[in-house]
Amino acid sequence: MLVLGVESSCDETGVAVVDASGRDIPRLLAQALHSQIDLHQAYGGVVPELASRDHVRRALPLLEQTLEQAGLSVNQLDSVAYTRGPGLAGALLVGAGLACALAAALGRPALGIHHLEGHLLSPFLGDDPPQFPFLALLVSGGHTQLMQVRTVAQYELLGETIDDAAGEAFDKSAKLLGLPYPGGPHLARLALEGDERAFKLPRPLLHSGDSDFSFAGLKTAVLTQAQRLGDQLPMRRADLAASTQAAIVDVLVAKSLAALDQTGLRRLVVAGGVGANSRLREQLERACAPRGVRVHYPQLSLCTDNGAMIALAAGMRIQAGLAPSSTAYAFDVRPRWGLTELSH
Ligand code: KG4
Ligand code: ZN
């Protein structure tokens, strides 16, 4: 069972193929990725129309590259999956258009996959795959959610951000510090040289007793500190970066621990771009190890958007008997789409 996956929801075009034969975890055979970071950098954020056009340029060459790497020809594919949402409408349509056209030409099913399902299942492609059930902390540029995962397609939302996402908090704070887009990794690097106790920043909703997050106030606090520093800012940038990162990470760790206690789950999966943050990884490890909780991550290269996680999610759905076998190509995209709508 060879499944192709196409990801184009935001600023990465990703194509991958997995082998989902039998009952074993699908195996990644090949993948190709193009990041648009350079394209959007001059604008300080993703420009949707430029993103769509670049997906159009990249998708087919990446498909050819993936098939060549896997040593496969296109008509060996059994199923073609694509990110159906959430994401930028125009960008999603490129991947959906390619996948559905290809599936129709081959007479194979096309599968629209939820982007966040891809992220939360992505650790299954790593060396240390989790077992169901687990708690998932989804931390990306657009989402911050705690999810109870019973098995494939059984997701219960425990809480989420009421305003900015964790990645957005990193990116917006980084911008205030004059760092390039996307700021998360740059801020994390700068934070290594700073003192996290230098500035007292808020930890919003830390003790709210639920699993919701809020990061908008933190960004305002970083802005206020930056303004207060004025000419001093260049000398104190690393300290402010370290303090900001510590505030974001503290909240993510505390909320994850509270959700683990509440659900009694013993495994935590951390997925999405912010899952690459090494401070978050250290703090989670430190807090979870003594509680006997295992923390699982996707391999570093699969933390940010990629086609492999979409092919994987499709493969796992097929194995679970949840994928439609129909070849009716009514392709549509869902720019706004809640993950819990998938639960059956
Ligand atoms: O999952 P992702 O690639 O795209 C979305 O679906 O949003 O996540 C991108 C986000 C960006 O906000 C980026 O700044 C953040 O992940 N990010 C990081 C790190 N690497 C990526 N944030 C903090 N530390 C990092 N090392
Ligand atoms: Zn993502």
Side-chain angles (χ1 to χ4, degrees):
M1 172 57 68
L2 298 174
V3 186
L4 187 86
V6 181
E7 154 65 32
S8 70
S9 65
C10 189
D11 56 351
E12 259 102 25
T13 326
V15 181
V17 63
V18 299
D19 182 354
S21 304
R23 299 177 64 84
D24 294 343
I25 298 172
R27 203 162 51 87
L28 181 61
L29 299 183
Q31 68 159 330
L33 186 72
H34 176 77
S35 167
Q36 302 178 355
I37 285 180
D38 293 346
L39 177 70
H40 300 293
Q41 206 147 49
Y43 306 94
V46 178
V47 183
E49 182 58 26
L50 292 182
S52 311
R53 291 180 195 197
D54 201 59
H55 288 306
V56 171
R57 268 194 297 273
R58 307 289 175 181
L60 273 177
L62 290 174
L63 169 65
E64 282 163 7
Q65 203 178 313
T66 304
L67 291 173
E68 193 184 310
Q69 226 186 81
L72 294 171
S73 76
V74 73
N75 46 31
Q76 286 176 276
L77 299 172
D78 295 297
S79 232
V80 186
Y82 61 96
T83 305
R84 185 172 171 220
L88 301 168
L92 289 167
L93 280 168
V94 179
L98 170 69
C100 291
L102 185 60
L106 297 170
R108 303 275 197 270
L111 264 78
I113 295 295
H114 196 292
H115 181 81
L116 295 181
E117 182 173 42
H119 273 307
L120 76 81
L121 295 177
S122 60
F124 283 98
L125 287 174
D127 299 331
D128 181 28
Q131 281 176 341
F132 295 113
F134 55 78
L135 177 74
L137 173 67
L138 285 174
V139 272
S140 70
H143 293 86
T144 302
Q145 299 186 329
L146 276 164
M147 194 72 78
Q148 180 163 359
V149 178
R150 294 201 173 81
T151 183
V152 179
Q154 286 202 16
Y155 311 123
E156 185 187 336
L157 182 68
L158 302 174
E160 63 184 331
T161 183
I162 56 171
D163 42 53
D164 290 350
E168 231 173 330
F170 268 104
D171 294 346
K172 288 180 177 173
S173 304
K175 204 168 179 177
L176 294 171
L177 298 177
L179 297 170
Y181 165 86
H186 294 282
L187 190 147
R189 220 166 295 133
L190 186 60
L192 291 173
E193 301 156 24
D195 174 5
E196 64 176 58
R197 287 156 309 181
F199 298 96
K200 255 189 126 54
L201 295 172
R203 269 88 171 138
L205 301 188
L206 189 63
H207 301 296
S208 62
D210 56 25
S211 295
D212 285 339
F213 301 84
S214 164
F215 290 108
L218 174 63
K219 171 194 62 194
T220 311
V222 174
L223 174 63
T224 309
Q225 281 296 350
Q227 284 170 340
R228 210 173 280 160
L229 284 168
D231 297 346
Q232 299 279 306
L233 179 60
M235 273 98 74
R236 306 293 309 280
R237 260 181 7 146
D239 287 344
L240 191 48
S243 304
T244 306
Q245 175 174 259
I248 299 171
V249 168
D250 277 0
V251 175
L252 294 176
V253 172
K255 294 278 176 168
S256 302
L257 294 181
L260 284 165
D261 287 344
Q262 181 200 326
T263 55
L265 292 166
R266 313 306 300 159
R267 280 176 287 267
L268 173 66
V269 157
V270 185
V274 181
N277 186 274
S278 46
R279 161 98 192 175
L280 175 65
R281 290 182 172 220
E282 274 164 34
Q283 295 291 100
L284 279 176
E285 200 50 53
R286 185 173 302 172
C288 289
R291 295 166 176 242
V293 171
R294 292 277 310 276
V295 191
H296 301 262
Y297 300 92
Q299 61 192 68
L300 219 46
S301 62
L302 297 183
C303 277
T304 45
D305 295 348
N306 62 83
M309 67 185 195
I310 301 304
L312 168 78
M316 290 179 80
R317 279 186 162 262
I318 292 168
Q319 289 175 328
L322 295 169
S325 54
S326 129
T327 43
Y329 306 105
F331 87 87
D332 67 341
V333 295
R334 299 274 309 266
R336 296 176 143 273
W337 189 14
L339 184 59
T340 45
E341 288 178 49
L342 295 182
S343 288
H344 62 281

